Amino acid sequence: MKKIKSIFTIAIGVALASQIKINFFVPGFIVALSVAILPVFLYFYKQFNPIEILFVTGIIYPLYRGIFLYFDTNNLHTTLGFIGANVLFYFSYGILFYLLYWKKKKKGITDLFFCALLCDLLSNILEISAMIHFKGYSYMMFQELVIIAFVRAVISVCIILLIKYYKSLLIKEEHEERYRKLILITSSMKSEIYFMNKNNSDIEGVMKKAYLLYKTISEQKYPTQLKNLSLDIAKDVHEIKKDYISVIKGLEEMVGEKTDNVKMDIKDIVNIIGMDVREFLKQNNSNVSLEFQIKNNFNVVDHFYLVCILRNLIHNSIESMDKTKNGYVKVLIMKSQEECIFVVSDNGKGIKEKDIDYIFNPGFSTKFNKETGDICRGIGLAHVKGIVNDIFSGTIDVHSITEKGTEFTIKIKQDKMEGVSV
């Protein structure tokens, strides 16, 4: 069903394209755009036999043209003659295309060009020969048929190349979008794995304390029920730890450690983050402006973690713009004295002085849902500080003035940022 539909679509497309035409040589013989787009259809529908396509086209198009021709001439005999010549053209074109191009195992765009030229030329000679009853040939006629075939073959190839170029642009754009999303997703997963590994250390501490409690109770004359309960707690914590480690290993296998070995240009990182944040602002109808200023370019080896850091800080700044008019977030990136410096500033509501000392603590948050009253989990800045300290061996400082804005400054040694051995 799909094949029949495609073949009829091609035939109708050819019929419609035939409206762009000029008369040539003898009455009824026309040079139409339809023949120029024939090779285009045959190239992109190469899964279908060209003989089948051209035989259907050779019936639909001549009938379509014959109806208009009959109303113009009111002569059935002349109309049938022209229809017969048209049918001969398309039938011969299909057979020639099948033999010269479709059956070949190895074929390229050059092969298509010469095939289109020969199919056009030979089919036109047959068509016009039928119209003039195989007499009255002239050298000029053959010369002009060659020129027409050449021009239409060039048009066909140009259309194909333009379509292929357009498709390649779409594919490239799609690949870039997928790559950008992959970077963002991997960045989020790696930061979560890092945080889970830190939590795993806490679970290890709880397990040790639970087992120590069991030993202490065992050495004292406490009830057996209490001793068994403390042992069950130690066992349960141990099982939780095992499951937790299993989840971490599974996530690490999904992400893969090899992905960090490829360095990324800071400009590419900024481009990915910028597109993501601006898309977020657009979706949320936010009037916050985002500006990046890169004074020095450099490579980043642990780029996934840096993406996580900058995204967290930028989104925190955006969230601080609750009702701020003409809100902005500025990101300054530079190198100074062998340090890579990142400054993220905004003109939001700022951080209260009493909260400054606690903002990097896990679980601390001043944000809550006004409708539900639920407090945000508050691990964003804890993530940032932990990754800056543990992954990059860097520092992070914050300066904030209530109702005026906040500025985070991150400093990381250049050799640590670029993965240079010292």
Side-chain angles (χ1 to χ4, degrees), residues 144-350:
E144 292 186 356
L145 284 177
V146 170
I147 294 171
I148 291 168
F150 178 82
V151 170
R152 288 201 292 209
V154 169
I155 292 172
S156 301
V157 170
C158 288
I159 292 172
I160 289 169
L161 291 175
L162 284 172
I163 292 173
K164 289 182 72 174
Y165 178 70
Y166 176 68
K167 283 186 175 181
S168 70
L169 287 180
L170 292 180
I171 291 170
K172 183 182 177 183
E173 186 177 335
E174 184 182 345
H175 284 178
E176 287 177 351
E177 177 67 12
R178 286 180 179 177
Y179 178 71
R180 182 174 69 86
K181 288 182 178 178
L182 179 63
I183 291 288
L184 296 173
I185 291 169
T186 307
S187 168
S188 297
M189 288 184 67
K190 277 189 168 289
S191 65
E192 292 296 336
I193 290 169
Y194 159 79
F195 205 76
M196 289 173 74
N197 277 318
K198 289 194 72 173
N199 288 345
N200 193 40
S201 300
D202 295 335
I203 293 173
E204 177 74 27
V206 173
M207 187 183 72
K208 287 180 179 178
K209 289 177 182 178
Y211 186 70
L212 182 61
L213 176 63
Y214 164 72
K215 284 185 68 177
T216 303
I217 291 174
S218 299
E219 293 168 359
Q220 303 295 327
K221 293 182 179 180
Y222 286 101
T224 303
Q225 185 180 359
L226 185 60
K227 182 177 73 172
N228 292 337
L229 181 61
S230 63
L231 181 61
D232 287 341
I233 291 172
K235 287 179 178 179
D236 289 344
V237 174
H238 179 67
E239 290 301 316
I240 291 171
K241 181 191 172 187
K242 282 172 59 180
D243 292 340
Y244 210 71
I245 291 173
S246 178
V247 171
I248 292 172
K249 285 184 177 179
L251 290 173
E252 285 176 340
E253 286 177 4
M254 288 174 60
V255 174
E257 290 300 320
K258 292 182 179 179
T259 52
D260 282 339
N261 294 335
V262 181
K263 294 182 180 181
M264 246 185 118
D265 193 290
I266 189 62
K267 290 183 178 179
D268 292 333
I269 292 173
V270 165
N271 184 47
I272 289 170
I273 296 171
M275 289 179 68
D276 175 64
V277 174
R278 290 187 178 97
E279 188 176 313
F280 171 81
L281 293 172
K282 185 178 180 180
Q283 289 176 353
N284 290 273
N285 296 318
S286 175
N287 63 349
V288 177
S289 64
L290 175 65
E291 179 186 341
F292 287 96
Q293 185 179 4
I294 304 173
K295 289 193 173 181
N296 306 100
N297 192 28
F298 50 86
N299 293 321
V300 182
V301 64
D302 290 315
H303 47 271
F304 292 117
Y305 291 112
L306 184 62
V307 169
C308 175
I309 290 170
L310 295 178
R311 281 184 77 206
N312 259 298
L313 291 178
I314 292 170
H315 279 280
N316 273 340
S317 291
I318 292 170
E319 288 173 4
S320 73
M321 308 278 181
D322 192 15
K323 294 180 181 178
T324 304
K325 290 184 178 180
N326 301 316
Y328 66 80
V329 180
K330 294 181 179 178
V331 183
L332 171 64
I333 300 171
M334 61 182 179
K335 287 195 296 188
S336 177
Q337 298 179 348
E338 297 185 350
E339 282 187 325
C340 297
I341 301 172
F342 304 85
V343 181
V344 181
S345 58
D346 63 66
N347 63 339
K349 59 186 178 182

